[in-house]
């Protein structure tokens, strides 16, 4: 099946620094990618939807200046957490939708810990 | 707007026993329904989905789910649970195939030997 890869899988950073998480569709072109945030023992909350070559659409309550999303190609979307703080510590999961079938595939997730 | 309720936060079953995980949705029309499984520290894997047609849907790993419009439910079942099925299970709903998913809060399945 289609594969979506996230990198890094785990990252620890100091408060105030910025962290970039990559989401790649390895064997298909993803016209749309989604970024989710998951708190411990909770569900996935959609943060934003990104379409290749256009600005991301953020969900209500998500700070777009803090969570920068770039979808520069049909196989890569990046999430940059700017000026990270401990409350940004979370599990971030991306998903990619194939243009051909519309099917959705999820990455393995990236665990961010901000000290 | 659509919403999903998974009433059971945590379920424990013995290996070999049957399993049913509940999912209720709220949506004005017939939604697209999904069940995903998440192992600790991992992403989500699609177990099965319902778009239309036969209301009993077969998925991977021996799972099935039944769409019941009258009850607004899409419960997940497995006749005989294996220890490797221990994971978090999420029900999700979308108004269309190209639409955003709304997830339930998840049910954590524990399997005792």
């Amino acid at each position: 099946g289609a594969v979506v890869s996230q990198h890094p899988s785990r990252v620890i950073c100091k408060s105030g620094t910025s962290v970039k998480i990559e989401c790649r569709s390895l064997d298909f072109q993803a016209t749309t990618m989604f970024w989710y945030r998951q708190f411990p023992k909770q569900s996935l909350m959609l943060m934003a939807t990104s379409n290749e070559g256009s600005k991301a659409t953020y969900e209500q309550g998500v700070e777009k200046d803090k969570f920068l999303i770039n979808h520069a190609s049909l196989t890569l979307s990046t999430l940059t957490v700017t000026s990270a703080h401990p409350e940004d510590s979370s599990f971030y999961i991306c998903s990619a939708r194939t243009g051909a079938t519309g099917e959705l595939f999820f990455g393995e997730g990236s665990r961010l810990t901000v000290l | 707007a659509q919403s999903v309720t998974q009433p059971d936060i945590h379920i424990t079953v013995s290996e070999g026993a049957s399993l049913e995980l509940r999912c209720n949705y709220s949506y004005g029309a017939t939604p697209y329904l999904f069940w995903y499984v998440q192992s600790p520290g991992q992403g989500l894997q699609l177990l099965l989905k319902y778009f239309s047609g036969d209301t009993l849907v077969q998925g991977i790993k021996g799972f099935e789910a039944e769409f019941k419009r009258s009850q607004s439910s899409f419960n997940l079942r497995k006749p005989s649970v294996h220890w490797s099925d221990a994971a978090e299970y999420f029900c999700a709903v979308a108004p269309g195939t190209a639409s955003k998913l709304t997830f339930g809060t998840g049910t954590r399945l524990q399997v005792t030997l």
Side-chain angles (χ1 to χ4, degrees), chain A residues 41-88:
Chain A
K41 300 184 180 181
Q42 294 189 27
S43 187
L44 284 76
M45 302 300 297
L46 180 65
M47 299 174 65
T49 303
S50 73
N51 293 294
E52 185 266 337
S54 62
K55 290 184 178 180
T57 302
Y58 290 81
E59 295 300 301
Q60 191 173 11
V62 177
E63 299 177 62
K64 60 181 180 182
D65 294 331
K66 180 166 188 61
F67 298 100
L68 301 179
I69 292 173
N70 182 276
H71 193 161
S73 77
L74 286 172
T75 60
L76 174 65
S77 177
T78 60
L79 167 67
T80 301
V81 182
T82 62
S83 186
H85 291 282
E87 57 265 31
D88 299 325

Side-chain angles (χ1 to χ4, degrees), chain B residues 48-69:
Chain B
L48 47 79
K49 58 190 177 187
Y50 173 77
F51 289 169
S52 64
D54 192 347
T55 57
L56 184 62
V57 180
Q58 301 298 320
I60 63 171
K61 303 184 179 185
F63 286 92
E64 66 177 27
E66 186 171 13
F67 169 62
K68 293 185 177 180
R69 184 191 305 274

Side-chain angles (χ1 to χ4, degrees), chain B residues 77-105:
Chain B
R77 301 193 295 246
K78 187 170 184 177
S80 177
V81 171
H82 188 263
W83 64 266
S84 60
D85 293 325
E88 188 89 20
Y89 291 80
F90 292 96
C91 182
V93 63
T97 56
S99 304
K100 298 180 292 187
L101 291 175
T102 298
F103 286 88
T105 49

